[in-house]
Amino acid sequence: DAAHAEPWPYVERPFGPNYYLGDEDARLGHENLLAGNFGNAEYHFRRAVEVTPQNGAAWLGLASCYDRLGRFDLAERAYNSAERFAGDNVAVLNNHGYSYLLRGRMREAARLLNRAAQLDPENPTVANNIRMLRAGQSYFWGSAPYIWGWPH
């Protein structure tokens, strides 16, 4: 079947039991990321993308680690690779939008979070990030403009 023609069969859910079969480093990266061991997680995700550069979930995990380590320059490159290999999906758009939020780049955050909300209007993580964006904007600018189409 064509979906399994590549050497590492793709599974829809990032970090599912076998995102890419045999990709132990991506699994260990995810495990360490959840445990708050961002340096170890970065190490494993970096190894995973070196072995399977088309692993969009590993790129996304690597980008998240770089965000947590304050390496936004490297995070941006990793998010671009995640988008290239995983596509425009809710997880990538939400995490990249949150990264922009961390950097204070509100317009870019709003653009990506809006796209994520359009893909999955009921996603609680996206909704929470949009609330944080609005709260940040109202703190700095007096009120958050209603520009991204998310209900109040």
Side-chain angles (χ1 to χ4, degrees):
D1 124 352
H4 297 288
E6 61 181 303
W8 298 276
Y10 177 75
V11 177
E12 277 296 316
R13 237 178 90 205
F15 305 118
N18 293 311
Y19 185 76
Y20 281 94
L21 294 179
D23 197 348
E24 182 68 4
D25 274 309
R27 187 191 67 73
L28 289 170
H30 186 244
E31 193 175 282
N32 277 280
L33 182 64
L34 292 177
N37 301 321
F38 307 120
N40 288 339
E42 183 272 340
Y43 169 79
H44 287 291
F45 281 128
R46 191 170 23 85
R47 283 184 41 148
V49 300
E50 288 169 357
V51 173
T52 52
Q54 71 273 35
N55 186 338
W59 280 109
L60 184 59
L62 183 60
S64 296
C65 291
Y66 286 142
D67 279 340
R68 295 297 194 129
L69 295 169
R71 293 300 312 268
F72 298 120
D73 55 330
L74 297 175
E76 188 64 27
R77 293 193 329 211
Y79 280 119
N80 290 336
S81 293
E83 290 166 6
R84 181 171 47 250
F85 294 114
D88 242 11
N89 68 54
V90 174
V92 172
L93 292 169
N94 177 69
N95 287 18
H96 199 176
Y98 182 74
S99 178
Y100 282 137
L101 188 62
L102 291 175
R103 298 180 234 176
R105 295 172 61 179
M106 301 302 190
R107 288 192 197 286
E108 292 98 332
R111 181 178 56 81
L112 293 177
L113 292 171
N114 182 45
R115 284 176 43 207
Q118 289 171 351
L119 292 175
D120 188 358
E122 303 300 316
N123 188 301
T125 305
V126 174
N128 186 56
N129 287 342
I130 289 173
R131 277 192 293 278
M132 285 193 305
L133 174 68
R134 284 192 177 145
Q137 286 181 337
S138 64
Y139 178 79
F140 290 108
W141 298 325
S143 67
Y146 187 71
I147 58 171
W148 45 80
W150 193 264
H152 289 290

